[in-house]
């Protein structure tokens, strides 16, 4: 195998990815993660020879990037709120929008010893993050996908969140009758006809089950709002993420299904409405 410096390896990778209309930044991120160097350290070591094992992984990753595989799946992990979580093609890659919603839950958490339900947990990032932040809370995390729950359990084991419990369920169908203080969900909200606008890496590799919703992506908001009153305590709070074009439609869904609820819509860092907080009028 040809010996290359970090600088030359990255120059070649950038050239290859640009010729394929891919993102050169993914090669930079891949090299940083494989080497354990941050950007500044990589500059300081730019003339050093890349070790053989790292170079082999880098070249393999570069080929996979050329086939649109997300760098997080290549690495086998992604970051969420500065923590490392295992991911694969059975779960979505965590997004910053979800971090903002979870941070609000943490900031507004009223007291210890609450019961929380995370609907559609995927890799478990929301439930496990809350489990770490609030070890006195009991957290039930559900997903319809058995494969996703296996990833979530792996992450829970890694962080030893013994207060987080997983259950396979289609929304509330397999949940015993009970009341939660907080229900949170990042449901599938992309409309089927928006698929053509998605990045190829999302279309090819991320799970359809966690991405797309019927009725213009609104199916799960209809279903959850029709059932949530049976699972939320009187002063309980519902948090839900949604697509940046869906605010008005979701507002109408709450007006029709939960007219006695007060709904707040919150913007992300880009100024788009991306998640909501809802609770009963007292």
């Amino acid at each position: 195998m040809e010996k290359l410096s970090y600088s030359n390896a990255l120059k070649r990778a950038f050239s290859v990815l640009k010729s394929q209309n891919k993102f050169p930044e993914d090669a930079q991120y891949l090299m940083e993660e494989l080497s354990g160097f941050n950007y500044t350290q990589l500059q300081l070591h730019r003339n050093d020879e890349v070790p053989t094992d790292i170079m082999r992984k880098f070249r393999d990753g570069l080929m996979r990037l050329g086939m649109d595989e997300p760098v997080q799946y290549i690495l086998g992990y992604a970051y969420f709120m500065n923590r490392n979580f295992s991911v694969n093609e059975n779960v979505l890659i965590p997004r910053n929008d979800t971090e903002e919603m979870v941070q609000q839950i943490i900031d507004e958490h009223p007291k210890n010893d609450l019961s929380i339900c995370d609907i559609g947990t995927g890799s478990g990032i929301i439930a496990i993050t809350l489990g770490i932040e609030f070890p006195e809370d009991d957290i039930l995390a559900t997903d319809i996908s058995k494969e996703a729950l296996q990833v979530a359990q792996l992450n829970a084991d890694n962080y030893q969140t013994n207060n987080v419990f997983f259950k396979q369920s289609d929304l509330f169908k397999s949940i015993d009758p009970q009341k939660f203080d907080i229900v949170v969900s990042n449901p599938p909200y992309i409309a089927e006809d928006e698929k053509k606008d998605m990045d190829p890496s999302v279309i090819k590799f991320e799970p359809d089950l966690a991405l797309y919703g019927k009725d213009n992506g609104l199916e799960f908001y209809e279903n959850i709002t029709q059932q949530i009153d049976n699972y939320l305590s009187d002063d309980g709070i519902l948090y839900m993420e949604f697509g940046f074009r869906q605010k008005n439609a979701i507002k109408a869904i709450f007006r029709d299904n939960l007219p006695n609820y007060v709904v707040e819509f919150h913007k992300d860092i880009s100024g788009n409405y991306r998640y909501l907080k809802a609770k009963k009028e007292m």
Side-chain angles (χ1 to χ4, degrees):
M1 183 181 290
E2 183 184 5
K3 303 291 186 181
L4 292 174
S5 66
Y6 284 104
S7 177
N8 287 334
L10 284 170
K11 282 178 184 175
R12 288 193 183 184
F14 293 166
S15 177
V16 168
L17 290 177
K18 283 180 180 177
S19 71
Q20 298 171 332
N21 292 318
K22 312 301 181 189
F23 297 107
E25 298 85 359
D26 286 343
Q28 177 78 31
Y29 180 71
L30 180 63
M31 183 63 89
E32 288 175 14
E33 291 297 315
L34 291 175
S35 66
F37 294 143
N38 61 30
Y39 179 82
T40 301
Q41 291 168 331
L42 206 52
Q43 298 308 306
L44 293 172
H45 291 271
R46 62 184 178 275
N47 294 322
D48 293 358
E49 187 178 286
V50 183
T52 302
D53 61 328
I54 292 177
M55 196 66 214
R56 187 178 292 112
K57 292 176 183 176
F58 184 67
R59 284 180 168 164
D60 173 67
L62 197 61
M63 289 179 58
R64 293 164 70 178
L65 286 173
M67 294 184 286
D68 294 314
E69 186 170 356
V71 65
Q72 293 89 345
Y73 290 160
I74 294 170
L75 293 166
Y77 62 84
Y79 292 99
F80 183 77
M81 299 188 77
N82 298 317
R83 295 187 179 97
N84 181 310
F85 289 88
S86 294
V87 294
N88 61 26
E89 293 177 30
N90 296 306
V91 298
L92 290 184
I93 297 166
R95 265 70 169 186
N96 289 339
D97 306 306
T98 308
E99 288 192 2
E100 294 174 36
M101 179 177 69
V102 172
Q103 187 61 56
Q104 179 159 341
I105 296 172
I106 292 169
D107 292 343
E108 296 181 347
H109 196 275
K111 60 181 185 296
N112 287 329
D113 199 22
L114 295 182
S115 59
I116 299 175
C117 183
D118 175 21
I119 299 291
T121 195
S123 61
I125 54 170
I126 295 177
I128 293 165
T129 299
L130 295 176
I132 294 168
E133 295 287 336
F134 305 109
E136 300 303 315
D137 290 1
D138 283 331
I139 301 170
L140 175 64
T142 73
D143 204 288
I144 194 172
S145 166
K146 179 178 70 174
E147 291 78 16
L149 289 173
Q150 289 171 348
V151 177
Q153 187 64 63
L154 181 67
N155 285 317
D157 292 344
N158 183 48
Y159 285 105
Q160 298 183 328
T161 46
N162 297 322
N163 57 330
V164 179
F165 307 92
F166 297 102
K167 188 176 184 66
Q168 188 174 4
S169 179
D170 182 1
L171 299 184
F172 296 102
K173 284 182 181 175
S174 300
I175 301 178
D176 296 331
Q178 58 191 292
K179 299 285 187 177
F180 297 96
D181 300 302
I182 293 173
V183 175
V184 58
S185 182
N186 179 19
Y189 55 71
I190 299 171
E192 287 284 354
D193 62 3
E194 292 179 326
K195 191 170 186 176
K196 63 184 184 299
D197 302 320
M198 304 292 289
D199 188 274
S201 65
V202 177
I203 296 171
K204 291 181 182 180
F205 289 95
E206 296 200 58
D208 287 2
L209 195 62
L211 288 168
Y212 304 106
K214 297 176 183 176
D215 301 328
N216 292 318
L218 299 170
E219 173 191 18
F220 292 93
Y221 302 92
E222 283 280 4
N223 291 341
I224 289 175
T225 54
Q226 287 170 12
Q227 301 174 67
I228 190 65
D229 224 22
N230 298 319
Y231 293 93
L232 204 59
S233 62
D234 287 340
D235 58 351
I237 302 173
L238 169 66
Y239 295 88
M240 294 184 79
E241 194 173 329
F242 56 86
F244 69 94
R245 296 190 184 100
Q246 294 176 318
K247 178 195 169 189
N248 290 337
I250 290 173
K251 189 175 183 179
I253 289 171
F254 272 86
R255 185 182 62 237
D256 294 342
N257 295 346
L258 295 168
N260 61 328
Y261 274 61
V262 177
V263 186
E264 299 174 2
F265 292 91
H266 294 271
K267 294 180 179 179
D268 63 13
I269 198 168
S270 302
N272 297 311
Y273 286 103
R274 289 304 312 275
Y275 66 95
L276 65 84
K277 172 187 174 184
K279 63 184 301 185
K280 293 178 190 175
E281 281 185 298
M282 300 304 288

